[in-house]
Amino acid sequence: MNAATANSYPIDTLGLVVTVLLVAVAAGISYAMRLGVHRQMLWATVRSLLQLLAMGYIIKFVIERNSPWLAFALIAVMILAAIQITMSRAANIPRDVMPQVFLTLTASVILQISVVTELVIRPHPWYAPAVLVTMTGMLLGNVVSAIAVAMSRFFADMESRRYEIEMLLSLGATPFEAARPSIVASVKMGMIPTIAQLASSGIVLIPGMMAGQVIAGADPLTAAKYQFVVLAVISALTLMADSLIMALVYKVSFTKLDQYRPAA
C-alpha cells in the first residue's frame, strides 16, 4: 500500500446516506420556515446523486476501454446536453439562437482540448479519457452558466433600452454600436461568479478539485497547480465564450434592414 492509498478516504454508502440525510434536514428547516425551497433542494440532490453516479460508471467504462472514439462520443453527448441546459436556463431568449449556442460550446471545447489538455497537461496517451472527459465537464459546467446568464441579461437589457436603440439606429449607428452597452453589461454579468472564484481561491476558498485531490491522498502542491490551471483556463475560456456568444446573438435583435427586433 503506497502513501497516497494509505492517506485516501473513500466515501462508502454510509457516507452518501449521511450526506442525503443532512440535505433532508436542511429541507425540513426550509419547510418549517416556509421558505419554499425544500422540494427543489430535495429533487436537485437526488438528481445530482443519480447523475454523478451514472457519469462515474460511464467514465470508468470509457477509461477502461481507453478508446479515443468513446471519449469523443461522450464529449459530444455532453455538448448536446449542455445546449439543452443552456437554453432552459436562459430566460426570455429567442429559440433560434440554438445554433449560436452549439457553435460557442463546441469552439470552447475544441480550444480547451487542443490548447489546455495537449499543451499544459500533456496526457499519455494524448486522448486519455480521464483528462479529456473531466476537463470538458468542468469547462462546460462553467461556460453553460456564464452564457445563459449573459444571454438572459442581453435580451432583457436590449428590451429595456428599446427606445434608446431605435434612436441610435435612426441617427446612423450600426446595430453593433447600438447593442454594445448591452453586450458589455451582459459579458460582465456572466463573468462575475468566475472571476470571484478565481480571485478568492487559496485565501477564503479551497476549490473542489484541489480539496478532492488532497482528500484522496494527492500531494497538496500538485493539487494546487492543477486547481490553478483549471480555474485560470476556465476563466479565460468562459470570457472567450461569453464574447463569442454575444458577437453571434446580438444580430438576432435586428432585421436585415438594421431595425430593432424584440426577442420573441
Side-chain angles (χ1 to χ4, degrees):
M1 180 180 296
N2 56 38
T5 304
N7 294 329
S8 63
Y9 304 96
I11 296 176
D12 55 13
T13 303
L14 177 61
L16 295 177
V17 171
V18 172
T19 303
V20 173
L21 288 177
L22 180 62
V23 175
V25 171
I29 294 174
S30 170
Y31 177 78
M33 297 181 64
R34 298 182 180 180
L35 300 178
V37 297
H38 55 282
R39 291 182 180 176
Q40 297 94 319
M41 188 173 185
L42 287 173
W43 167 242
T45 300
V46 173
R47 179 176 175 178
S48 173
L49 175 60
L50 295 177
Q51 289 179 166
L52 287 172
L53 290 177
M55 180 58 76
Y57 282 114
I58 293 172
I59 293 177
K60 180 180 179 182
F61 174 81
V62 173
I63 291 175
E64 290 175 348
R65 295 300 180 276
N66 198 30
S67 167
W69 301 109
L70 282 177
F72 284 106
L74 180 55
I75 289 173
V77 172
M78 293 168 66
I79 292 175
L80 293 177
I83 295 171
Q84 189 276 325
I85 295 172
T86 303
M87 297 300 295
S88 64
R89 285 187 182 180
N92 303 318
I93 65 171
R95 310 312 297 177
D96 56 358
V97 300
M98 188 175 292
Q100 291 91 323
V101 174
F102 169 75
L103 179 59
T104 300
L105 294 177
T106 303
S108 299
V109 170
I110 291 174
L111 190 60
Q112 173 251 310
I113 292 175
S114 60
V115 176
V116 181
T117 303
E118 300 306 324
L119 296 182
V120 177
I121 300 178
R122 299 187 296 276
H124 301 285
W126 67 268
Y127 56 83
V131 178
L132 258 64
V133 174
T134 53
M135 287 292 293
T136 299
M138 286 187 286
L139 170 69
L140 286 176
N142 285 268
V143 170
V144 162
S145 299
I147 66 175
V149 170
M151 287 195 297
S152 299
R153 172 62 184 269
F154 174 75
F155 288 106
D157 198 66
M158 289 289 284
E159 185 61 27
S160 68
R161 296 178 54 241
R162 177 172 186 171
Y163 298 112
E164 175 191 345
I165 291 171
E166 291 176 343
M167 181 190 70
L168 290 171
L169 293 173
S170 68
L171 293 176
T174 65
F176 178 78
E177 290 172 337
R180 189 176 184 279
S182 298
I183 292 174
V184 172
S186 302
V187 171
K188 287 182 177 180
M189 178 66 73
M191 289 300 299
I192 286 176
T194 302
I195 294 177
Q197 184 182 35
L198 181 63
S200 61
S201 295
I203 300 177
V204 297
L205 170 67
I206 298 180
M209 181 180 180
M210 179 178 176
Q213 284 188 314
V214 173
I215 292 173
D219 174 58
L221 184 58
T222 301
K225 292 177 181 178
Y226 267 98
Q227 186 64 75
F228 167 74
V229 168
V230 168
L231 289 177
V233 165
I234 285 176
S235 298
L237 293 182
T238 300
L239 178 55
M240 293 179 188
D242 267 355
S243 303
L244 177 58
I245 195 66
M246 288 295 102
L248 294 174
V249 304
Y250 87 89
K251 298 178 182 178
V252 176
S253 295
F254 301 92
T255 67
K256 293 181 179 180
L257 299 176
D258 290 346
Q259 297 172 323
Y260 176 68
R261 180 175 65 183

